[in-house]
Amino acid sequence: MSGQRSDRRRVGWIGLGVMGAPMCGHVVAAGHDVVVHTRTAATAQPLLDVGARWAATPAEAAAGADVVFTMVGYPDDVRQVVAGDEGVLSTVPGGAVVVDLTTSRPSLAGELAELASVRGVGMLDAPVSGGDVGAREGRLVVMVGGEAAHLAAVRPLLDTFARSVTHFGPAGAGQHAKMANQTAIASTMVGVCESLCYAAAAGLDLAELIGCIGGGAAGSWSLENYGPRILRDDLAPGFKVDHFVKDLGIALEEATRLRLALPGLALAKELYVAVSAAGLGAQGTQALVTAVQRLSGRPASLASGGGAAGGE
Ligand code: NAP
């Protein structure tokens, strides 16, 4: 298949973590010519094994590319890989489009789009939702900010890992949509964890509970995907606690700037800061259950029913 398709694009890809690696895998599998770079080189090996090529720096991955994707951790990482000394913008050809998939600051998206535009390069902010499962299955939801023509140019590549792509407006609008997404998830996660802790304290069968209420009005992506992991005491990411703390911090800053009080979001952020402070920042967001349990002096894990240390 590789090399046969008439619309084959030269793609640079920076960042091969939980999300980036499977997403990039879909682009490679679609037959495009992909050059990858990530901080820990060993992570790239599975993609090199299926035809991607290695670049020593973001600049090297971007040289000669039609489209460059970045999927790194934090806004500072985005700034470094896009606009740093060995960043994408130092080599990417005029006419190319850079797509930042990282969850990052709306203001940074605007700043980088301006820098790119000076060089004749298009820039989109395109954060995603759907988690590690959605990335593996190529069923992510993509929220886009930037110019419609730039989105049209990269749409076939986004479609290799997305089930929906929505254009929200100019640079930064995709990140604002993602902050609205995270605001909804924040209180949902508190609700899911409190619900399971309540059921454990009441002595219910938790697997049966998830199966039952998941099919009713309490059903949610978070309950369906994270509930079973909580019951197995599987705290592996998934979506890292420290990344969620980053997102909730950005959302709260933006809300304050908009003179908007969001107490549910603020409460969720404080609980997640507590999870991170307890040494679980690199675990998945389902680790919130440990903080809720500990508030009432109960065992951190619900794997064996959650115990009844706080009394019935
Ligand atoms: P991750 O597993 O930590 O992956 C980040 C990747 O970027 C890692 O491979 C990391 O390298 C690399 N990286 C970071 N800084 C770099 C730099 N300066 N130069 C080169 N490579 C760099 O995180 P993730 O879960 O894939 O999430 C990525 C982003 O998507 C985050 O902004 C997150 O908030 C967002 N997001 C995550 C999910 C999810 O469910 N996981 C869902 C939606 C959105 P190392 O391996 O050396 O750390």
Side-chain angles (χ1 to χ4, degrees), residues 77-306:
D77 300 322
V78 175
R79 186 185 291 284
Q80 185 191 340
V81 301
V82 174
D85 286 345
E86 296 191 310
V88 168
L89 291 179
S90 66
T91 56
V92 71
V97 180
V98 179
V99 184
D100 182 33
L101 303 159
T102 317
T103 305
S104 176
R105 284 179 203 288
S107 58
L108 180 59
E111 195 187 312
L112 294 179
E114 269 191 49
L115 274 178
S117 147
V118 169
R119 301 198 64 250
V121 172
M123 177 106 206
L124 298 172
D125 46 298
V128 305
S129 182
D132 53 334
V133 181
R136 284 197 299 276
E137 294 179 351
R139 290 181 51 74
L140 292 169
V141 166
V142 187
M143 296 152 262
V144 183
E147 290 184 22
H150 297 145
L151 173 55
V154 305
R155 181 70 199 250
L157 292 167
L158 296 179
D159 286 339
T160 67
F161 53 74
R163 76 176 152 92
S164 85
V165 176
T166 306
H167 185 206
F168 281 94
Q175 295 296 354
H176 279 304
K178 177 69 183 182
M179 289 307 131
N181 181 82
Q182 299 307 74
T183 300
I185 288 177
S187 293
T188 303
M189 284 301 294
V190 176
V192 164
C193 291
E194 288 189 353
S195 167
L196 293 177
C197 293
Y198 175 91
L204 301 183
D205 180 314
L206 298 183
E208 202 165 43
L209 181 90
I210 291 173
C212 172
I213 72 172
S220 67
W221 190 98
S222 298
L223 180 65
E224 184 184 333
N225 286 276
Y226 292 136
R229 298 187 202 189
I230 289 170
L231 266 52
R232 292 194 301 273
D233 203 21
D234 172 7
L235 300 187
F239 180 36
K240 290 176 184 143
V241 166
D242 281 345
H243 282 162
F244 205 27
V245 171
K246 170 252 307 177
D247 296 355
L248 302 184
I250 294 171
L252 278 171
E253 280 172 23
E254 292 293 329
T256 302
R257 193 180 57 78
L258 295 165
R259 299 188 61 76
L260 184 66
L262 298 177
L265 176 64
L267 171 65
K269 183 184 172 223
E270 292 307 303
L271 287 168
Y272 272 104
V273 167
V275 177
S276 181
L280 300 177
Q283 301 284 13
T285 49
Q286 66 275 27
L288 179 65
V289 73
T290 64
V292 178
Q293 280 285 95
R294 283 179 177 137
L295 278 175
S296 303
R298 291 172 183 268
S301 168
L302 292 186
S304 54

Side-chain angles (χ1 to χ4, degrees), residues 16-19 38-40 71-73 102-103 238 240 243 246:
L16 297 174
V18 171
M19 299 296 285
T38 194
R39 188 165 51 196
T40 306
M71 186 45 148
V72 291
T102 317
T103 305
K240 290 176 184 143
H243 282 162
K246 170 252 307 177

